[in-house]
Amino acid sequence: MARYRQTVQLRSVTPRQVADAAVEFHETMESLRPQDDGSLRAADGRTGRQLRLLEGEHLRPGAQYGIRADDGPSRLNVLAWDRRGETAVRLGIPEGGTPPEEPGPDVEARLAGAERPRLLRIRGTSESAPGARHGVTGTLRLDLERWWTEAGGPRQAPLIARAEHPMARLEVRAWPRTRPDGDWDVTVQLTVTGRGLLRPLAAVPLQLARGRVERKLAQRLEELARTSWPATVDMLRLPRAELRRRLLDWFCGPAAQES
């Protein structure tokens, strides 16, 4: 087993901003009206081009949607839809569909309490390559209430992610501390463990590679701080009307400009 730890500075968001975004997503989806051909129409008359209702009732458990994407079609199943309770969806390749050259994951996401987000859980599986005998399974658990209380430390980490392969197990734990300027210092701890016959043989290589792994971990965290996380923060900080406009533009395409 080897353990690595790095700290990265991230822009912060508030519980209210996360809750507003979650509620707006629910309300925007609920505002779409299914048509006879399965397309979804917005209140302004635009028709959705990204999602199409294939089976069931719109946003009811059991509803299935086709998703149009550049890397091939996929299917979204609604398992639960309750902003006060739990919203859960599953994303995967349609049954009988042709897998893409680079297999995508089969992912299930569950959010408890959209109006006051409490817990986010994600689990998924992915083949490492076409025809591979062994894939990777992963889980993520983010305790949103604990995140903002700064319980902190690896034992009480509000974010825990795990990935398992027949040859190795990875675990990531993360916890924040608020800086004087309001941003977060997020400590990330990565633990790597060999599995099966490789377990007693993995310790020495993992220790010898410590410097390289720590540099790679720091690089990935810095990329997160510069790119994807700022974009997420900007979205979460949008006024709800602007967030709804952007969501509808994604579902239906930009609205026609008035002359």
Side-chain angles (χ1 to χ4, degrees):
M1 181 180 73
R3 183 170 290 142
Y4 315 94
R5 186 178 292 186
Q6 293 287 340
T7 298
V8 63
Q9 181 180 347
L10 297 178
R11 294 169 59 193
S12 64
V13 292
T14 67
R16 184 71 267 162
Q17 289 167 336
V18 173
D20 284 350
V23 170
E24 190 55 56
F25 173 78
H26 278 72
E27 291 187 355
T28 300
M29 288 294 296
E30 291 161 8
S31 73
L32 301 175
R33 293 291 178 262
Q35 306 302 298
D36 291 341
D37 62 356
S39 62
L40 301 174
R41 179 168 293 180
D44 60 9
R46 285 182 289 169
T47 301
R49 59 183 183 180
Q50 299 291 345
L51 292 176
R52 181 176 295 273
L53 180 63
L54 303 177
E55 297 180 22
E57 296 183 47
H58 182 46
L59 300 181
R60 296 291 183 88
Q64 297 186 25
Y65 300 83
I67 300 179
R68 182 188 301 174
D70 294 338
D71 57 356
S74 56
R75 179 168 293 192
L76 180 73
N77 294 351
V78 174
L79 307 177
W81 190 273
D82 183 354
R83 68 178 72 177
R84 293 182 178 85
E86 181 180 66
T87 293
V89 296
R90 181 181 178 187
L91 177 66
I93 299 171
E95 293 183 8
T98 301
E101 292 183 3
E102 295 294 333
D106 185 336
V107 178
E108 180 177 306
R110 294 180 176 270
L111 175 65
E115 294 184 349
R116 186 179 176 182
R118 301 185 301 275
L119 181 65
L120 174 65
R121 292 175 294 162
I122 300 174
R123 66 176 180 85
T125 60
S126 179
E127 294 293 338
S128 56
R133 296 178 58 189
H134 302 298
V136 177
T137 62
T139 61
L140 180 146
R141 185 182 191 277
L142 174 57
D143 188 326
L144 290 156
E145 292 182 319
R146 180 175 291 180
W147 183 271
W148 279 284
T149 63
E150 297 191 16
R155 291 182 178 273
Q156 298 178 314
L159 187 152
I160 301 175
R162 296 186 175 97
E164 296 198 7
H165 183 272
M167 299 176 64
R169 178 187 292 114
L170 282 73
E171 180 184 83
V172 174
R173 292 176 177 253
W175 59 95
R177 282 288 183 266
T178 302
R179 296 166 52 88
D181 60 7
D183 284 346
W184 290 324
D185 280 331
V186 179
T187 302
V188 178
Q189 177 176 287
L190 169 65
T191 303
V192 184
T193 308
R195 301 189 67 189
L197 295 175
L198 289 181
R199 184 167 184 173
L201 302 177
V204 173
L206 287 172
Q207 292 299 329
L208 292 175
R210 173 173 294 278
R212 184 160 56 89
V213 173
E214 288 179 339
R215 287 192 297 272
K216 197 68 173 178
L217 177 60
Q219 178 184 345
R220 294 300 187 190
L221 292 176
E222 289 301 322
E223 290 175 356
L224 171 69
R226 290 196 313 267
T227 57
S228 56
W229 182 247
T232 300
V233 171
D234 289 343
M235 181 191 69
L236 293 173
R237 290 180 175 179
L238 287 173
R240 286 186 57 177
E242 176 62 16
L243 178 59
R244 172 170 289 215
R245 185 188 71 78
R246 295 196 186 189
L247 287 171
L248 287 174
D249 284 352
W250 184 84
F251 287 131
C252 306
Q257 297 293 324
E258 295 183 3
S259 58

